[in-house]
């Protein structure tokens, strides 16, 4: 069983995907972490994010510690959003994601193009979203808990910029798959959003 969870930044898709993985006893992959790992590698090696070749070289992420809190930083998130538009970078990470999805027993993957590109034949597809203001508030609160000095207006501007890049890039733009169930978490608490997702998946199965 393959479950695809797509959506924009800070929509709650990661929380929902992890909960689905626990509920159905499946392994989970946050594909955004792969792009963040490339962004962090690029940052640490002094690569140029404006160069597709430089970003491609940074796709060797074997030395990256996926527990490194720097992966969650806004700087790395911004880099990940920028380099994810490069077709060469997406191709470099494509088979890794498809291999995870195709493992025996299935998996849960969340990202921007799971239901449309990585696993178009997924058994269940969800598209998780929320208003930009709600998503910015969530990200702002998350960053404050990390003791980072941030301003809400800057976080909101970053959310808008990421949405624009993700939806209008030439390679695998963010879009809802035709057969995906839409879950708007703008006015849902965490538990309610998770329950809605579980019910949507069970209905598909």
């Amino acid at each position: 069983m393959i479950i695809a969870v797509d959506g924009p930044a800070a929509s709650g898709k990661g929380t929902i995907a992890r909960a689905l993985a626990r509920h159905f006893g499946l392994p989970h992959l946050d594909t955004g972490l792969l792009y963040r790992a490339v962004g962090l590698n690029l940052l640490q090696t002094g690569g140029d994010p404006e160069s597709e070749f430089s970003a491609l070289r940074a796709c060797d992420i074997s030395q990256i510690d996926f527990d490194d809190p720097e992966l969650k930083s806004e700087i790395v998130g911004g880099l990940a959003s920028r380099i994810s538009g490069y077709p060469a970078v997406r191709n470099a990470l494509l088979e890794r994601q498809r291999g995870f999805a195709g493992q025996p027993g299935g998996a849960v993957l969340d990202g921007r193009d799971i239901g449309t590109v990585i696993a178009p034949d997924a058994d269940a597809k969800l598209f998780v979203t929320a208003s930009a203001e709600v998503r910015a508030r969530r990200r702002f609160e998350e960053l404050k808990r990390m003791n980072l000095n941030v301003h809400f207006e800057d976080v909101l501007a970053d959310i808008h910029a990421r949405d624009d890049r993700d939806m209008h890039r030439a390679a695998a733009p963010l879009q809802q798959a035709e057969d995906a169930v839409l879950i708007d978490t703008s006015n849902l608490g965490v538990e309610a959003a998770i329950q809605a997702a579980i019910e949507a998946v069970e209905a598909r199965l």
Side-chain angles (χ1 to χ4, degrees):
M1 177 171 67
I2 301 174
I3 302 175
V5 184
D6 289 305
S11 60
K13 66 181 181 296
T15 299
I16 285 174
R18 288 190 294 273
L20 289 172
R22 288 193 301 270
H23 182 81
F24 292 103
L26 295 169
H28 165 246
L29 176 64
D30 173 1
T31 63
L33 271 183
L34 298 179
Y35 290 95
R36 282 177 173 267
V38 175
L40 178 58
N41 197 18
L42 193 68
L43 182 67
Q44 292 177 340
T45 57
D48 179 8
E50 300 303 320
S51 165
E52 184 169 1
F53 177 72
S54 184
L56 178 60
R57 291 183 61 186
C59 286
D60 178 8
I61 52 178
S62 56
Q63 303 302 314
I64 295 294
D65 176 8
F66 280 82
D67 292 322
D68 187 341
E70 186 68 15
L71 283 171
K72 293 291 187 179
S73 72
E74 285 299 280
I75 292 176
V76 170
L79 285 172
S81 178
R82 289 161 69 186
I83 57 97
S84 65
Y86 293 134
V89 171
R90 303 199 73 84
N91 287 335
L93 300 176
L94 182 67
E95 290 310 313
R96 182 169 181 160
Q97 296 172 76
R98 284 184 172 165
F100 189 92
Q103 63 185 295
V108 179
L109 294 87
D110 73 84
R112 304 286 199 281
D113 64 345
I114 310 303
T116 53
V117 176
I118 304 301
D121 297 324
D123 300 280
K125 299 178 186 178
L126 304 179
F127 191 86
V128 182
T129 190
S131 71
E133 288 73 18
V134 167
R135 290 185 287 122
R137 179 62 60 185
R138 290 173 183 165
R139 180 57 56 81
F140 175 73
E141 296 297 339
E142 178 185 15
L143 294 171
K144 292 294 283 186
R145 286 194 297 272
M146 296 166 63
N147 295 317
L148 296 175
N149 184 25
V150 291
H151 300 283
F152 176 75
E153 293 75 14
D154 294 335
V155 177
L156 178 59
D158 182 63
I159 286 287
H160 281 304
R162 290 193 198 186
D163 286 352
D164 184 66
R165 283 195 298 266
D166 290 342
M167 290 187 291
H168 297 104
R169 65 186 180 217
L174 169 66
Q175 57 187 21
Q176 181 179 342
E178 291 184 3
D179 52 347
V181 177
L182 177 66
I183 297 180
D184 190 325
T185 66
S186 297
N187 299 307
L188 293 179
V190 174
E191 292 307 317
I194 289 172
Q195 188 57 39
I198 290 173
E199 291 175 0
V201 171
E202 289 179 338
R204 284 298 171 95
L205 302 178

